[in-house]
């Protein structure tokens, strides 16, 4: 529906329920701003309820309670790559998750983010981040400490206000996307909101990097720089810019890699070609060797997982390797082998 049709229908319905001309004009001026940005018009919580298909009382409660407690979230943790460390996740329960996905798909995805942000972008994969840093003299990885939890309610609310939503609607949307006044890790809206909030930072850093002939990308909280440069100058600049917007640089996670070393970006080797690490490829080759040497049944007896889970896990690792380098002959052979056994076991 175009704005002209919308405004004509709105006027008829509004006048029928007793709206004054001035009230109708205010509503339509508000709607026009959102229409021009291809955003859904939301006047109040009742309207949001109709749009999302979630009851009004639930939205009010979720927006109120989620500020203080985990009543609308499920908490759990997953192991990080570094041994002994865990990542804590707060996943919204089904109805709140449905609301958040509606906000993500209908509002947030309409906002164009920086081309230097490479994570959580529709139709973009990990390789879009890696290709900028392939075959460079130096690769510097910097990390933002406690990235999502450092993004507070006020920054989220500012996103919706800047889009044109009213104070009341912006506050409600922001409350539905935050937990205890910050972005929860595990919410579908958190990643893209972080990209929107980091737009100015990405622009400033990209201009700084371009002037020094440095390639720059940001994959969530991972900042990567590559080229021939003074890493101390880069690190000092980034630390200053992060502090200006309320973030802290995690100096313990700084990694500087020269071309004579293995250069890793978001867990993937980027030296001469983009591929799995040497250790990952060696492990897959060993599995393939044991299967061919001793037979699939003998190999599976030694595994803790069921046949289905184990073969799916290995196939997933192989597919990721082929995503990075689709011409890898060893991985193609391994994939054919695993698919053969999955078919034999009817898995």
């Amino acid at each position: 529906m175009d704005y002209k049709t919308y405004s004509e229908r709105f006027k008829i319905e509004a006048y029928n329920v007793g709206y004054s001309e001035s009230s109708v004009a205010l509503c339509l001026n508000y709607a026009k701003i959102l229409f021009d940005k291809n955003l859904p018009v939301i006047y109040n919580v009742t309207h949001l309820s109709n749009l999302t298909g979630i009851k009004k009382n639930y939205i009010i409660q979720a927006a109120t309670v989620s500020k203080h407690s985990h009543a609308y979230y499920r908490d759990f943790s997953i192991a990080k790559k570094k041994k002994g460390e865990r990542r804590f996740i707060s996943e919204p329960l089904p109805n709140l998750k449905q609301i958040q996905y509606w906000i993500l798909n209908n509002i947030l995805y309409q906002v164009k983010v920086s081309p230097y942000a490479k994570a959580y972008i529709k139709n973009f994969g990990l390789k879009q981040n890696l290709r900028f840093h392939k075959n460079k003299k130096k690769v510097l990885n910097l990390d933002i400490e406690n990235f999502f939890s450092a993004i507070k309610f006020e920054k989220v609310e500012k996103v919706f206000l800047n889009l044109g939503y009213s104070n009341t609607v912006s506050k409600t949307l922001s409350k539905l996307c935050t937990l205890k006044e910050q972005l929860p890790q595990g919410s579908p809206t958190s990643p893209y909101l972080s990209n929107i909030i980091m737009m100015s930072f990405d622009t400033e850093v990209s201009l700084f990097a371009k002037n020094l002939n440095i390639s720059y990308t940001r994959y969530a909280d991972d900042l990567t720089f590559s080229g021939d440069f003074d890493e101390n100058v880069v690190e000092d600049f980034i630390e200053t810019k992060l502090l200006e917007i309320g973030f802290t640089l995690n100096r313990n996670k700084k990694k500087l890699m020269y071309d004579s070393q293995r250069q890793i970006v978001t867990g993937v080797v980027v030296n001469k070609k983009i591929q799995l690490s040497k250790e990952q490829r060696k492990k897959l080759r060993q599995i393939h060797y044991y299967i061919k040497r001793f037979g699939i049944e003998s190999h599976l007896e030694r595994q803790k997982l069921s046949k289905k889970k184990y073969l799916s896990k290995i196939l997933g690792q192989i597919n990721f390797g082929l995503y990075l380098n689709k011409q890898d002959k060893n991985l193609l052979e391994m994939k054919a082998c695993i698919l053969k056994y999955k078919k034999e076991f009817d898995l």
Side-chain angles (χ1 to χ4, degrees):
M1 183 189 308
D2 59 24
Y3 176 73
K4 184 179 178 181
T5 304
Y6 174 86
S7 62
E8 288 172 353
R9 291 183 182 179
F10 183 89
K11 286 176 183 177
I12 293 170
E13 293 182 21
Y15 289 138
N16 283 340
V17 295
Y19 274 43
S20 65
E21 277 196 38
S22 59
S23 294
V24 169
L26 282 172
C27 289
L28 289 178
N29 288 338
Y30 172 70
K32 181 68 165 59
I33 293 169
L34 298 171
F35 256 90
D36 288 346
K37 295 179 180 179
N38 199 31
L39 295 170
V41 179
I42 308 171
Y43 291 109
N44 49 41
V45 177
T46 302
H47 196 186
L48 180 61
S49 171
N50 292 333
L51 291 169
T52 60
I54 301 295
K55 289 182 179 179
K56 176 182 175 179
N57 285 342
Y58 180 93
I59 293 176
I60 293 171
Q61 289 172 352
T64 304
V65 178
S66 65
K67 178 180 178 181
H68 305 290
S69 75
H70 285 69
Y72 289 81
Y73 287 82
R74 178 177 74 94
D75 294 336
F76 60 96
S77 66
I78 56 175
K80 289 185 178 182
K81 288 183 180 179
K82 191 173 181 179
K83 192 174 181 181
E85 291 189 1
R86 300 194 70 80
R87 189 183 308 279
F88 294 94
I89 308 295
S90 293
E91 179 187 20
L93 295 179
N95 280 352
L96 180 55
K97 184 181 281 189
Q98 181 178 325
I99 296 169
Q100 290 178 351
Y101 268 119
W102 186 90
I103 293 170
L104 177 66
N105 291 320
N106 293 279
I107 298 176
L108 301 181
Y109 277 159
Q110 306 309 313
V111 183
K112 190 175 181 181
V113 299
S114 167
Y116 299 92
K118 300 300 179 183
Y120 319 120
I121 310 296
K122 267 189 171 182
N123 303 319
F124 271 64
L126 183 63
K127 282 201 293 187
Q128 299 296 324
N129 182 50
L130 302 172
R131 64 188 182 89
F132 290 95
H133 308 293
K134 178 183 170 185
N135 200 22
K136 297 292 182 68
K137 184 173 181 178
K138 287 182 184 178
V139 173
L140 174 66
N141 286 340
L142 299 175
D143 179 85
I144 303 173
E145 193 162 19
N146 300 322
F147 182 55
F148 285 118
S149 60
I151 299 176
K152 305 303 181 185
F153 175 87
E154 291 75 17
K155 289 183 178 179
V156 177
E157 186 179 31
K158 191 175 179 182
V159 168
F160 295 110
L161 287 170
N162 287 343
L163 289 176
Y165 287 104
S166 69
N167 290 340
T168 302
V169 171
S170 294
K171 193 173 290 294
T172 299
L173 293 172
S174 303
K175 285 179 177 179
L176 291 168
C177 293
T178 55
L179 174 63
K180 292 188 175 180
E181 300 282 298
Q182 61 193 34
L183 285 186
Q185 189 158 349
S187 164
T189 48
S190 292
Y192 206 81
L193 272 168
S194 72
N195 278 338
I196 296 171
I197 288 163
M198 294 296 285
M199 280 177 66
S200 295
F201 172 85
D202 286 332
T203 299
E204 281 193 76
V205 175
S206 65
L207 291 172
F208 163 80
K210 188 176 182 180
N211 287 335
L212 295 175
N213 198 28
I214 302 171
S215 294
Y216 161 69
T217 59
R218 182 180 58 79
Y219 199 87
D221 56 352
D222 291 326
L223 314 176
T224 304
F225 304 86
S226 61
D228 187 5
F229 54 91
D230 184 336
E231 61 275 10
N232 294 315
V233 171
V234 173
E235 187 174 357
D236 289 345
F237 177 83
I238 295 303
E239 184 169 39
T240 300
K241 290 300 171 185
L242 286 175
L243 286 171
E244 287 176 1
I245 56 174
F247 293 95
T248 305
L249 188 64
N250 188 342
R251 288 187 172 273
N252 293 328
K253 289 192 175 181
K254 172 187 173 182
K255 290 181 183 177
L256 178 65
M257 297 157 285
Y258 293 87
D259 53 4
S260 58
Q261 304 169 285
R262 184 173 61 176
Q263 295 172 323
I264 304 270
V265 176
T266 51
V268 178
V269 177
V270 294
N271 289 69
K272 294 295 181 182
K273 59 182 177 181
I274 297 170
Q275 61 182 356
L276 294 175
S277 69
K278 187 178 179 180
E279 290 79 10
Q280 290 171 310
R281 286 180 283 127
K282 182 180 178 181
K283 187 176 180 181
L284 286 172
R285 284 198 300 270
Q286 283 180 333
I287 292 169
H288 191 212
Y289 168 79
Y290 289 139
I291 290 173
K292 290 198 296 185
R293 177 77 183 271
F294 303 107
I296 185 68
E297 292 284 2
S298 175
H299 181 70
L300 288 173
E301 285 175 6
R302 302 169 186 269
Q303 308 308 317
K304 295 180 181 179
L305 298 175
S306 66
K307 287 179 182 178
K308 182 176 182 179
K309 286 185 178 179
Y310 179 76
L311 292 177
S312 295
K313 176 185 173 184
I314 299 305
L315 186 60
Q317 293 172 357
I318 292 169
N319 282 335
F320 180 64
L322 288 171
Y323 160 72
L324 298 173
N325 181 9
K326 61 183 179 181
Q327 304 299 329
D328 191 309
K329 292 181 180 179
N330 288 326
L331 290 179
L332 287 169
E333 185 182 341
M334 290 179 216
K335 181 174 182 178
C337 175
I338 298 299
L339 287 175
K340 172 190 169 187
Y341 288 122
K342 284 195 75 173
K343 187 174 181 181
E344 284 182 11
F345 294 131
D346 194 28
L347 299 175

